Amino acid sequence: MPASHPLDSEPLDDERAHLTASRAALRAMRADAEALDIRDVTANWVNAEVLQAEIDNRIKALADLAHTPLFFGRIDYQGHPGQQGDAQYYIGRRHVHDADGDPMVIDWRAPVSQPFYRASKRDPQHVALRRRFGYTGGELTAYEDEHLTDPAEADQASALLQSEIERPRVGPMRDIVATIQPEQDEIVRAGADGTVCVQGAPGTGKTAVGLHRVAYLLYAHRERLARTGTLVIGPNRSFLHYIEQVLPALGELEVKQSTVAELVAHVPVGGTDDAETARIKGDVRMAEVLRRAVRSGVTMPTEPCVVVRGSRRWRIPAHELTEITEELLSRHIRYGAARDALPQRIAHAVLIRMEQSGEAPDDRVQDAVARNSAVKAAVKAIWPAVDPVKLVLRLLTDADFLAEQAEGLLTPDEQKAILWIKPPRGVKSAKWSAADTVLIDEAADLVSRTHSLGHVVLDEAQDLSPMQYRAVGRRCTTGSATILGDLAQGTTPWATASWAEALEHLGKPDAAVEELTQGFRVPREVIAYASRLLPAIAPGLTPATSIRESPGDFSVRSVAAADLNAAVLDACRAALRREGSIGLIAADARIPALAAALDAAGLAYLAPGEETSAESRLTLVPATLAKGLEYDYVVLDEPAAIVDGEPDDRTGLRRLYVALTRAVSGLTIIHAAPLPPELNT
């Protein structure tokens, strides 16, 4: 197995000296950036502002985080192609060079670093030695060697790798750059031009893989993505707060984060839909309903358009206007773009008549004709402007209009389900639901093209409706995407049934689908227990396995109903006596009672997304917000209540599956009601 070397090992002094020198070099790099004087190199104040912003970002990226190891590994090449003799590289989160420009630490994303993650006994990739470093509080305390070309050394799991994976989690999510596995690395380094969909069981690191892929793409294609932009989309703000420090720790400060709801926030959300109504509004058929509605106002002309210029009158008959209108409709371009083209097309018809009469008009004349009041009046009558918000409001409040646009698409009962019972007086008084805002976003794109980014990461994608997929897809039509999710964790009534279907709605049907089944986070006994639910919630998925050598602390306790809260508090106190974060996960309906019990007992706690606070290591987590989060120890309150809190048993069992798989080191289940029978198999 790899040789692990403790604190008193002689080479450790050399490695510490290299760490000290590397930190000094990083400080010098930052000092050089801070000393840059741009007063004589910018042409104007605009250029100066842009350049100064880039310098400020560079200074931030060069910050030396005291408790974050500057390098976590070393590889010694032997006879590497392109190298003269042997070569040694330290692998870290960012590039560091000395005063002469020679590298002291190589960025983990650089091609020369790749063998650190992928080299093995079977395929050493010219690496003779791989060394991993162990840290305590930012101090280098141990190292571990793997001699990949030594046949006498067995190929076994790394103790330091296990230690890093199992290190207690306090605060927000951290990067996995020191522990990326070969199958994860292949996804991280996938090309920028292709979309990748990752089906990942709990604990397989799919979220971290997606974030590290963004960091890699920004390294490999920085200029392109700096121009087109990148975006990380998460299921809720609590989740985004939890992951927000990962990319800055890797030196990437400019990646924006959003939820789907924030992407489509054209109007404030003040209403809610029942599950069936939301499902219908999220159905892909609504895209065609909206397309028809947007174009419904186009009216074929019955009168000619007569343009007066000076003493001449130019007449475009109704049938020719109809031909122009029908041709624009047949091209299926954006409604707004077609409306902008219509006056130019009418003006062009006028110019043809001018030329036929012996005049020689130029483009300025055509533009003037397009602005003529008669042409404007014709365009207004033929192709009226469309306000996406008002259009969707009309669809949801005008039964006749909806019936006309939804004919052959939605049944009468489905139409009735999405109509508002009490129509508002106007747009400002409307109580829009989250599903309504997605419809408005679709309508807005039908009118005017949505801006496309260079790369989008979509996490917890299994919970999106077809219309939400379309909303995300619009943001990366000319770019690529990383889609992350787990079909077994789909907890919405409209959760996707297959990734092929989801990718079709997203507009990326040719995306590669990769499956991660090797768990690194969830203890062996915990994932095995949770996997009992898979036959009921996702029978086609492969159960996850765990590389964790320790089974983890796992217990299931049955108590009397009257003792439930007290037993939960005792379990929380026991967890707090250990190192690490604690998540108390419960059905949403149980949260007020548990909050009151915690307050009465004097146990401080946080809400999801507040994990950066030092006030408490205990977080009270509603089951509906648990997805994507992780805690060292989880106390799970009343599984039956979590199942009962959902509209159907399958969704409830999926919600329970999510809650069961949030633990890193230990899980205690406290219940008074009988457990779901699926857990007793």
Side-chain angles (χ1 to χ4, degrees):
M1 65 177 292
S4 183
H5 302 273
L7 184 65
D8 57 356
S9 296
E10 184 178 337
L12 205 57
D13 291 337
D14 294 336
E15 301 295 11
R16 285 173 169 165
H18 188 80
L19 176 61
T20 300
S22 298
R23 289 195 183 281
L26 181 62
R27 289 194 296 272
M29 290 169 63
R30 182 168 183 171
D32 288 344
E34 292 172 334
L36 288 174
D37 187 349
I38 62 173
R39 286 175 296 181
D40 297 329
V41 298
T42 54
N44 53 55
W45 70 269
V46 176
N47 290 341
E49 289 283 341
V50 172
L51 184 55
Q52 187 60 53
E54 292 182 357
I55 293 173
D56 291 343
N57 286 335
R58 172 68 173 165
I59 293 170
K60 290 178 183 177
L62 290 171
D64 186 4
L65 306 177
H67 295 288
T68 301
L70 195 56
F71 55 80
F72 46 80
R74 193 185 96 188
I75 49 177
D76 294 0
Y77 280 111
Q78 192 172 55
H80 186 265
Q83 300 283 350
Q84 293 184 355
D86 300 338
Q88 182 183 95
Y89 298 103
Y90 288 82
I91 312 301
R93 286 168 172 78
R94 67 199 68 196
H95 176 85
V96 179
H97 61 255
D98 61 18
D100 296 325
D102 294 326
M104 301 189 71
V105 180
I106 299 293
D107 194 301
W108 66 276
R109 298 166 288 188
V112 74
S113 302
Q114 183 171 311
F116 179 78
Y117 299 106
R118 298 197 190 181
S120 65
K121 286 278 189 178
R122 292 182 178 179
D123 180 19
Q125 300 185 25
H126 303 284
V127 175
L129 172 74
R130 173 165 51 207
R131 175 169 288 179
R132 300 183 190 274
F133 297 105
Y135 288 82
T136 302
E139 295 297 320
L140 202 164
T141 55
Y143 70 92
E144 182 180 81
D145 286 343
E146 295 174 81
H147 297 89
L148 300 182
T149 57
D150 183 358
E153 185 177 287
D155 190 4
Q156 295 188 17
S158 161
L160 284 181
L161 186 66
Q162 286 278 342
S163 176
E164 173 63 20
I165 291 172
E166 297 178 11
R167 182 160 56 93
R169 284 152 168 77
V170 178
M173 182 181 181
R174 60 176 182 256
D175 65 71
I176 62 165
V177 66
T179 62
I180 295 174
Q181 298 300 290
E183 66 271 22
Q184 295 174 323
D185 191 64
E186 289 182 11
I187 297 171
V188 167
R189 297 176 192 267
D193 295 327
T195 290
V196 178
C197 176
V198 182
Q199 159 61 42
T204 55
K206 58 183 176 296
T207 296
V209 165
L211 295 174
H212 285 68
R213 186 179 183 217
V214 172
Y216 171 76
L217 292 176
L218 285 168
Y219 175 88
H221 308 278
R222 186 167 302 279
E223 182 176 345
R224 169 179 160 187
L225 291 180
R227 184 175 65 254
T228 56
T230 53
L231 176 67
V232 174
I233 303 173
N236 51 60
R237 268 288 143 193
S238 296
F239 176 83
L240 293 177
H241 284 312
Y242 178 64
I243 68 170
E244 65 185 355
Q245 294 303 316
V246 173
L247 287 167
L250 298 173
E252 300 301 341
L253 307 172
E254 297 301 309
V255 180
K256 295 181 179 179
Q257 296 182 342
S258 177
T259 64
V260 174
E262 291 166 347
L263 281 184
V264 299
H266 301 278
V267 292
V269 174
T272 57
D273 290 319
D274 60 44
E276 179 60 13
T277 299
R279 184 193 65 76
I280 298 169
K281 289 180 179 179
D283 193 286
V284 72
R285 292 173 294 167
M286 290 301 301
E288 178 59 20
V289 173
L290 287 164
R291 192 193 70 81
R292 292 178 183 178
V294 165
R295 292 179 167 230
S296 64
V298 176
T299 304
M300 294 304 165
T302 57
E303 300 291 333
C305 176
V306 180
V307 177
V308 178
R309 282 185 60 82
S311 61
R312 302 292 300 269
R313 293 164 58 88
W314 308 98
R315 181 177 181 274
I316 308 300
H319 73 84
E320 191 169 341
L321 294 175
T322 298
E323 290 175 0
I324 293 173
T325 303
E326 289 177 340
E327 194 273 335
L328 287 173
L329 283 172
S330 68
R331 292 175 59 190
H332 300 292
I333 59 177
R334 294 296 194 285
Y335 185 90
R339 189 174 189 273
D340 292 339
L342 182 57
Q344 290 291 335
R345 298 294 295 275
I346 296 174
H348 181 69
V350 171
L351 258 65
I352 291 176
R353 283 163 172 74
M354 289 181 175
E355 291 170 348
Q356 290 172 343
S357 67
E359 296 188 18
D362 56 20
D363 290 343
R364 290 175 296 175
V365 174
Q366 179 167 327
D367 290 339
V369 172
R371 296 191 298 269
N372 182 275
S373 59
V375 174
K376 288 182 177 180
V379 170
K380 184 177 180 180
I382 298 169
W383 210 289
V386 169
D387 182 323
V389 176
K390 292 180 179 178
L391 179 81
V392 173
L393 182 62
R394 185 183 175 192
L395 264 180
L396 299 177
T397 57
D398 186 333
D400 292 337
F401 182 62
L402 176 60
E404 182 181 350
Q405 310 312 319
E407 183 179 0
L409 294 171
L410 302 180
T411 67
D413 286 343
E414 288 176 323
Q415 294 174 34
K416 184 178 179 180
I418 66 174
L419 279 170
W420 290 2
I421 299 174
K422 293 182 179 180
R425 294 181 179 179
V427 169
K428 292 184 179 180
S429 61
K431 291 186 177 181
W432 302 99
S433 71
D436 296 334
T437 63
V438 181
L439 299 181
I440 293 171
D441 191 71
E442 180 84 22
D445 184 71
L446 288 166
V447 174
S448 181
R449 184 183 298 276
T450 303
H451 173 67
S452 177
L453 299 166
H455 192 79
V456 170
V457 174
L458 174 62
D459 206 351
E460 302 298 347
Q462 73 280 343
D463 281 330
L464 269 61
S465 70
M467 293 298 286
Q468 287 175 318
Y469 280 121
R470 290 174 62 86
V472 173
R474 285 192 282 277
R475 271 75 184 178
C476 55
T477 51
T478 59
S480 57
T482 302
I483 312 303
L484 311 167
D486 179 9
L487 297 179
Q489 297 185 57
T491 51
T492 56
W494 47 83
T496 188
S498 71
W499 290 122
E501 177 185 323
L503 293 168
E504 186 71 33
H505 296 315
L506 195 73
K508 306 288 185 182
D510 298 327
V513 179
E514 304 288 347
E515 187 172 8
L516 295 176
T517 59
Q518 188 174 55
F520 306 96
R521 172 175 57 79
V522 185
R524 186 179 304 159
E525 285 191 6
V526 173
I527 194 63
Y529 185 76
S531 294
R532 295 180 183 181
L533 298 175
L534 284 179
I537 62 177
L541 291 184
T542 303
T545 58
S546 178
I547 70 166
R548 302 284 293 275
E549 293 184 348
S550 60
D553 297 324
F554 174 65
S555 63
V556 180
R557 295 175 52 195
S558 176
V559 300
D563 300 329
L564 181 60
N565 287 356
V568 168
L569 293 181
D570 287 344
C572 289
R573 292 189 186 97
L576 285 167
R577 288 193 285 270
R578 303 170 178 176
E579 186 181 4
S581 58
I582 298 96
L584 170 53
I585 304 178
D588 291 35
R590 287 272 296 152
I591 293 297
L594 290 173
L598 290 168
D599 290 336
L603 289 176
Y605 61 91
L606 307 170
E610 297 177 349
E611 284 83 3
T612 54
S613 171
E615 297 177 2
S616 175
R617 292 186 290 118
L618 173 64
T619 304
L620 179 58
V621 187
T624 55
L625 294 182
K627 197 171 296 182
L629 305 181
E630 59 182 26
Y631 302 93
D632 285 291
Y633 294 91
V634 167
V635 177
L636 183 62
D637 169 84
E638 199 61 279
I642 294 176
V643 177
D644 293 342
E646 300 297 329
D648 58 79
D649 286 347
R650 188 180 190 190
T651 304
L653 290 173
R654 286 183 169 184
R655 184 76 69 188
L656 178 58
Y657 180 76
V658 171
L660 286 169
T661 54
R662 301 304 95 199
V664 175
S665 298
L667 170 65
T668 300
I669 301 172
I670 310 292
H671 70 99
L675 292 172
E678 290 81 2
L679 288 178
N680 296 321
T681 57

